[in-house]
Amino acid sequence: MTSLTCKGFRAGGIAAGIKKNGNPDLGLLVSDVPAQVAAVFTTNKVQAAPVLLDRERVKSGTARAIIVNSGNANCYTGKAGMEAAVTVTAAAAKALDIPEDQVLAASTGVIGAPFPTSTLTNAIPRLIDALDESRMMDLAHAIMTTDTRPKAGVREVISGGTVYRIVAVAKGAGMIRPDMATMLCFACTDAHMAHGDDLRIALKQAVDVSFNRITIDGDTSTNDTAILMAGGASGVRIETEADKAEFQRQLNDLFVDLARQMVKDGEGVTKVVDLTIRGARTNADAFRVADTIAHSPLVKTAFFGEDANWGRIIAAAGRAGVDLDPDRLDLYFDDVQMVKSGAGCGSEAEARASRVLKKPEFSVTLDLNQGNGVASLLTCDFSLDYVKINADYRS
Amino acid sequence: MTSLTCKGFRAGGIAAGIKKNGNPDLGLLVSDVPAQVAAVFTTNKVQAAPVLLDRERVKSGTARAIIVNSGNANCYTGKAGMEAAVTVTAAAAKALDIPEDQVLAASTGVIGAPFPTSTLTNAIPRLIDALDESRMMDLAHAIMTTDTRPKAGVREVISGGTVYRIVAVAKGAGMIRPDMATMLCFACTDAHMAHGDDLRIALKQAVDVSFNRITIDGDTSTNDTAILMAGGASGVRIETEADKAEFQRQLNDLFVDLARQMVKDGEGVTKVVDLTIRGARTNADAFRVADTIAHSPLVKTAFFGEDANWGRIIAAAGRAGVDLDPDRLDLYFDDVQMVKSGAGCGSEAEARASRVLKKPEFSVTLDLNQGNGVASLLTCDFSLDYVKINADYRS
């Protein structure tokens, strides 16, 4: 991977002592100048204190820093939780000598546990000492919870002879469904958007095609946050429609890459499945069928068992609440057709499909043959390890 | 348990050879006379051949017999599947010397596998030899798939000095959600309904309070069927409102008992959880919240881990799509209050809750404190064995 540096941004991550196991749990991303900022947050009715705080602060349109911890979600922590978020951002602002309302916060971890404010504030001097242009990967490490690997990416773009970059780190391995995932994503670019609103539009579109199109277990979190900062240190201004389109293409590509990293590293995941529903009456119908199949425990355990049990996929489609004709369905595992016009393709197809299911990544395509509606989701299997990880999470 | 006999009905079950392991897989229930009949079927758009056949045949209002197999769902088997269902019921009718359209069919097992028609028809003489008033439990055994225990029950009622009975057998251990479960239930009574439509109304109401209120994994099947036959051999006529109310009460109670047996025997289940949402604006809102919590893999794996991780319950409620105020929520595990007006009740409450979660059955109650809407579901945990059972089902 190209190095993760982005001109005008410094990052860092340390073990502050929130996590009992001594792993990194506190990170910081700082812009040298007030950066343009856009953010997307969870749609859950229960929202963590830092989410509520950020929603207010991003309204100014600029930010200088994001302080983020793992190991505690600072959610459902009442007034004390909001006070904690304010205290931590104020301490970071003071140490960085920047305005308090230019510091955003994010948290991920257990919901409802008291927030260890002083553990964070005590660690801030050490965190600031650790800041460096080259330390973006430390930030990626500091936000991990059940993730087994840090997730990061970079895109380099040449615009009018000048190079600009988009760098992003992300976390998320459980509580993932297509409606923002249980995830955090922090992205920065050294380009500058000529029109302030363009950053928000670009972020929303990129989230829609990436984090809103993955599912691991169907749960959504209280802390989901994606933040994009544009500092402008490269000197590139994104102004023309062509510039904007290229920026969008690169941002989408980067986020889709991170989303795939999340599913691959999903809790207990052994199979990554590109699920496509086509031929539905509408895109919304297609999405509903995809969503139902992607969240069916019977389908997901069959993937884990490498069992080409296509009847479970058909049965899940049938209960999606969409008007479909069972006799017109076509189903494929990769390019192996399993069902044709509503009938199974027999034992030879099953044998070929079994080989597909032994692969770590494959596609499942269901054609309803009723129209032009299409939807795709990136999903995964449901394994013994998923249960183990989540039954033991707090102990 | 009182014996499962019901005057005027004979039942039987044998191993016909559909299941490779030699377990019972073919059952028959026969009424001495044309019995009044009512039935409720799956709402899945994909419906098995016997479901489609029965839908037509129950329109006559009477039936003499039900032939049922496990080990193959006869679903997504095309024209051949429907021909198979017709052939099997015709063979049973001929052997019993009754009209073909008075025989209903039901199947449960793998979807999409070719139906072994001759295995069933060859076994019919032996199945009829096995029929006896006392053999209802053999029928319960013959319809088991991943069930580890047969499910049956009886209610005895005195009406005007005369005794009548309601007897039922059921199966279902996976693919269960509240919208009929993946289940079969065959019930018979030796009472007679004075008004034909009353039987249908009674069955629907009993299913609504029982099988429509349980969930194991959120999947619904293509084969769900509940059939109630009333033969009248006891001489009791259910005619007055008081008679009807008592019949309904007993039928509800019997079905609720069977539904609880299903959840207890659910695939890999180690915890049975009575989940109640109250204080919602409407019953529909309460149901939506209950449904979301009951199907959250994170909540269910926490139950399995005996972890009083109430934050996951709150987070699931928050994504249910219902307008709720996080600061007004109260949450209880049995009678231990975990959350009060939107704040966790602390470590002593957690310690007491941990003891609750060690029990095999407990209740979870969430009060939204916004109105009078209530909903209850019987749910369960999500265990390692669930994954093992369903990853290996076909192999």
Side-chain angles (χ1 to χ4, degrees):
Chain A
M1 190 188 293
T2 333
S3 85
L4 285 174
T5 56
C6 183
K7 264 186 212 157
F9 289 92
R10 290 170 298 145
I14 62 168
I18 306 165
K19 289 179 181 165
K20 291 172 195 159
N21 63 8
N23 282 346
D25 49 21
L26 187 62
L28 187 61
L29 178 65
V30 181
S31 171
D32 292 344
V33 298
Q36 297 169 300
V37 68
V40 177
F41 300 103
T42 180
T43 57
N44 200 303
K45 296 277 177 193
V46 179
Q47 307 209 340
V51 169
L52 298 171
L53 186 72
D54 291 357
R55 280 185 188 281
E56 286 307 309
R57 292 191 174 174
V58 296
K59 286 179 184 168
S60 74
T62 63
R64 285 290 302 271
I66 309 167
I67 184 161
V68 50
N69 72 278
S70 54
N72 187 308
N74 194 9
C75 179
Y76 225 68
T77 41
K79 271 188 196 168
M82 181 53 83
E83 283 163 15
V86 169
T87 301
V88 168
T89 53
K94 195 175 173 198
L96 290 165
D97 193 22
I98 59 177
E100 186 177 330
D101 61 7
Q102 290 283 295
V103 182
L104 306 178
S107 298
T108 181
V110 176
I111 297 169
F115 194 71
T117 311
S118 61
T119 305
L120 276 78
T121 51
N122 292 340
I124 284 176
R126 191 154 53 87
L127 178 62
I128 288 175
D129 281 348
L131 285 174
D132 195 273
E133 273 212 342
S134 66
R135 291 290 174 81
M136 192 68 83
M137 211 53 164
D138 291 2
L139 176 62
H141 273 104
I143 59 179
M144 289 165 64
T145 52
T146 53
D147 306 67
T148 67
R149 294 184 290 272
K151 292 156 189 82
V154 58
R155 292 294 180 278
E156 212 166 61
V157 192
I158 302 174
S159 173
T162 309
V163 170
Y164 75 87
R165 293 182 141 215
I166 315 171
V167 173
V169 299
K171 67 85 48 173
M175 237 193 195
I176 301 274
R177 82 175 274 134
D179 193 14
M180 289 281 287
T182 299
M183 44 139 298
L184 301 176
C185 175
F186 307 112
C188 52
T189 176
D190 50 12
H192 176 84
M193 309 302 279
H195 309 285
D197 217 33
D198 286 350
L199 196 69
R200 202 179 50 72
I201 294 165
L203 176 66
K204 191 174 178 321
Q205 192 185 117
V207 167
D208 270 348
V209 301
S210 58
F211 306 125
N212 282 355
R213 285 290 176 272
I214 59 176
T215 177
I216 292 174
D217 58 12
D219 270 298
T220 40
S221 105
T222 50
N223 290 56
D224 304 334
T225 299
I227 299 174
L228 172 60
M229 295 169 88
S234 69
V236 173
R237 279 173 66 89
I238 308 288
E239 188 153 18
T240 67
E241 289 306 313
D243 288 346
K244 286 200 274 185
E246 178 63 8
F247 182 83
Q248 187 73 62
R249 204 180 65 76
Q250 297 284 346
L251 189 66
N252 289 1
D253 190 58
L254 176 57
F255 277 19
V256 167
D257 178 17
L258 289 171
R260 185 169 286 269
Q261 288 184 45
M262 281 187 202
V263 176
K264 272 183 152 168
D265 193 29
E267 289 168 356
V269 168
T270 73
K271 305 288 176 188
V272 174
V273 182
D274 277 286
L275 173 66
T276 299
I277 310 301
R278 65 187 192 210
R281 293 230 168 83
T282 63
N283 287 348
D285 272 8
F287 184 81
R288 241 174 128 170
V289 172
D291 191 57
T292 307
I293 293 171
H295 293 116
S296 159
L298 286 174
V299 171
K300 291 167 90 76
T301 49
F303 288 156
F304 173 60
E306 301 183 339
D307 178 2
N309 193 335
W310 54 266
R312 292 181 179 178
I313 296 175
I314 300 291
R319 70 173 167 87
V322 163
D323 195 24
L324 61 79
D325 179 354
D327 293 335
R328 293 168 78 175
L329 304 181
D330 292 328
L331 179 71
Y332 305 82
F333 288 163
D334 277 355
D335 58 352
V336 180
Q337 184 158 15
M338 301 300 297
V339 172
K340 187 171 178 171
S341 303
C345 292
S347 53
E348 202 206 330
E350 294 237 357
R352 289 178 61 208
S354 294
R355 287 195 291 275
V356 172
L357 268 79
K358 289 198 192 311
K359 302 193 308 179
E361 301 187 30
F362 54 86
S363 70
V364 172
T365 307
L366 178 65
D367 195 331
L368 308 188
N369 287 305
Q370 292 181 309
N372 296 315
V374 179
S376 289
L377 279 180
L378 193 62
T379 184
C380 60
D381 63 337
F382 216 155
S383 71
L384 291 173
D385 280 345
Y386 176 86
V387 178
K388 283 181 194 161
I389 290 164
N390 283 299
D392 298 339
Y393 183 52
R394 300 202 313 172
S395 45
Chain B
M1 189 187 292
T2 333
S3 86
L4 285 174
T5 56
C6 183
K7 263 186 211 156
F9 288 92
R10 289 170 299 144
I14 62 169
I18 306 165
K19 289 179 182 164
K20 290 172 196 160
N21 63 8
N23 281 346
D25 50 22
L26 187 63
L28 187 61
L29 178 65
V30 180
S31 171
D32 292 343
V33 298
Q36 296 169 301
V37 69
V40 178
F41 301 102
T42 180
T43 57
N44 200 304
K45 295 276 178 193
V46 179
Q47 308 209 337
V51 169
L52 298 170
L53 185 71
D54 290 357
R55 280 185 188 281
E56 286 306 309
R57 290 192 175 173
V58 295
K59 286 178 183 167
S60 74
T62 61
R64 285 291 303 271
I66 309 168
I67 183 161
V68 50
N69 72 278
S70 54
N72 187 308
N74 194 8
C75 179
Y76 226 69
T77 40
K79 269 189 196 167
M82 180 54 82
E83 284 164 13
V86 169
T87 302
V88 168
T89 52
K94 194 174 174 199
L96 289 164
D97 193 22
I98 58 177
E100 186 177 330
D101 61 8
Q102 289 283 294
V103 182
L104 305 178
S107 299
T108 181
V110 177
I111 298 169
F115 195 71
T117 311
S118 60
T119 307
L120 275 78
T121 51
N122 291 341
I124 284 177
R126 192 155 51 89
L127 178 63
I128 288 176
D129 281 347
L131 285 175
D132 194 274
E133 273 213 342
S134 66
R135 291 289 174 80
M136 192 70 80
M137 211 53 166
D138 291 2
L139 175 61
H141 273 103
I143 60 179
M144 290 165 64
T145 52
T146 55
D147 308 66
T148 68
R149 292 184 291 272
K151 293 157 188 80
V154 56
R155 292 297 179 274
E156 211 167 61
V157 193
I158 301 175
S159 173
T162 309
V163 172
Y164 75 86
R165 293 180 141 215
I166 315 172
V167 173
V169 298
K171 71 82 51 174
M175 238 193 195
I176 300 275
R177 83 175 272 135
D179 194 15
M180 289 284 285
T182 299
M183 45 139 297
L184 301 176
C185 175
F186 306 111
C188 53
T189 176
D190 50 13
H192 176 83
M193 310 302 278
H195 309 286
D197 218 32
D198 286 350
L199 195 71
R200 200 181 50 73
I201 294 165
L203 175 66
K204 188 171 180 325
Q205 194 186 116
V207 167
D208 271 349
V209 300
S210 59
F211 307 125
N212 282 355
R213 285 290 175 271
I214 59 177
T215 176
I216 292 173
D217 57 12
D219 269 299
T220 40
S221 104
T222 50
N223 289 57
D224 305 332
T225 300
I227 299 174
L228 171 60
M229 295 168 88
S234 69
V236 173
R237 278 172 68 89
I238 309 287
E239 187 153 20
T240 68
E241 288 306 312
D243 287 347
K244 285 200 274 186
E246 178 62 11
F247 182 83
Q248 188 73 61
R249 205 180 65 75
Q250 296 284 346
L251 188 67
N252 289 2
D253 189 60
L254 175 58
F255 277 18
V256 166
D257 177 17
L258 288 171
R260 185 169 286 269
Q261 289 184 43
M262 280 186 202
V263 176
K264 274 183 149 168
D265 192 29
E267 288 167 359
V269 168
T270 74
K271 306 288 176 187
V272 175
V273 183
D274 277 286
L275 173 66
T276 299
I277 311 301
R278 63 188 190 207
R281 293 228 169 83
T282 62
N283 287 348
D285 273 9
F287 184 81
R288 239 172 129 171
V289 173
D291 192 56
T292 307
I293 294 171
H295 294 115
S296 159
L298 286 174
V299 170
K300 291 167 90 75
T301 49
F303 288 155
F304 173 59
E306 301 184 340
D307 180 0
N309 193 334
W310 54 266
R312 291 181 179 178
I313 296 175
I314 301 292
R319 70 172 167 88
V322 164
D323 195 23
L324 60 81
D325 180 354
D327 293 335
R328 292 168 80 175
L329 303 181
D330 293 327
L331 179 70
Y332 305 82
F333 289 163
D334 276 356
D335 57 352
V336 180
Q337 185 158 16
M338 299 300 298
V339 172
K340 186 172 181 172
S341 303
C345 293
S347 55
E348 202 206 329
E350 294 236 356
R352 289 178 60 207
S354 294
R355 287 195 291 275
V356 172
L357 267 80
K358 289 199 192 312
K359 302 193 307 178
E361 300 187 33
F362 54 85
S363 70
V364 171
T365 308
L366 178 66
D367 195 333
L368 308 187
N369 286 304
Q370 292 182 309
N372 297 314
V374 179
S376 290
L377 280 180
L378 193 63
T379 182
C380 60
D381 63 336
F382 216 155
S383 71
L384 292 172
D385 280 345
Y386 176 86
V387 178
K388 283 181 195 162
I389 290 164
N390 283 298
D392 298 339
Y393 183 53
R394 297 202 315 171
S395 44

